[in-house]
Amino acid sequence: MIKKVYKNRVEFYDVDSLNVVWHGNYVKFLEVARCNFLKDIGYDYIKMKNDGFAYPIVKMDFKFINPLFFGDEFKVEIALLEVESFLKFSYLIKKDTLKICKATTSQACIDIKNMQTCYAPPQTLKEIIKGIS
């Protein structure tokens, strides 16, 4: 399991009229952390595409525990749980020590050329994960 932590801040465009983060924006918070994570390990979406693969989200699960408000600074703790049949990440969003939200996402590996699901990760990703683990 590979873990990373990314800091973020609630911006004005993230909140509703009560200055509470709208629940749909948590998807964006996860996406930002996931993109940074993939970039940091050396296999971002551009590299995936250049290798001939796409990784669409096929499942998301959220548990909202506490709200975030305009101006709050928070951390997204992300862990790569699985790479074999799909990419599965877990997330924990925290403001200081307060748990805000727990989530998981799963992404299927798709061969762009024939639009077929792959049930094993591309060789490039296998090598990157092996080098990190």
Side-chain angles (χ1 to χ4, degrees), residues 9-26 28-29 64-72 74 95 100:
R9 183 177 180 275
V10 175
E11 301 296 342
F12 181 72
Y13 50 76
D14 294 322
V15 299
D16 61 19
S17 60
L18 298 175
N19 288 331
V20 177
V21 171
W22 174 64
H23 69 278
N25 282 323
Y26 286 87
K28 179 181 64 174
F29 299 157
F64 298 99
I65 303 164
N66 286 292
L68 284 172
F69 298 92
F70 175 63
D72 282 348
F74 63 94
K95 177 182 158 188
I100 302 298

Side-chain angles (χ1 to χ4, degrees), residues 70-109:
F70 175 63
D72 282 348
E73 293 183 356
F74 63 94
K75 293 186 270 187
V76 180
E77 298 174 4
I78 178 173
L80 179 59
L81 302 177
E82 189 173 335
V83 296
E84 284 307 314
S85 57
F86 50 86
L87 293 180
K88 184 172 184 178
F89 291 94
S90 69
Y91 310 82
L92 176 60
I93 297 176
K94 292 169 72 175
K95 177 182 158 188
D96 300 318
T97 60
L98 182 67
K99 290 181 182 178
I100 302 298
C101 176
K102 294 167 93 174
T104 60
T105 60
S106 299
Q107 296 171 256
C109 180

Side-chain angles (χ1 to χ4, degrees), residues 30 42 44 47:
L30 303 188
D44 63 10
K47 183 143 181 78

Side-chain angles (χ1 to χ4, degrees), residues 37-51:
F37 180 98
L38 292 168
K39 184 178 102 186
D40 288 348
I41 68 166
Y43 201 65
D44 63 10
Y45 289 114
I46 294 168
K47 183 143 181 78
M48 289 176 191
K49 183 179 176 186
N50 290 341
D51 282 350

Side-chain angles (χ1 to χ4, degrees), residues 48-65:
M48 289 176 191
K49 183 179 176 186
N50 290 341
D51 282 350
F53 300 97
Y55 276 87
I57 297 285
V58 295
K59 185 176 181 182
M60 300 179 106
D61 288 306
F62 287 87
K63 180 179 181 182
F64 298 99
I65 303 164

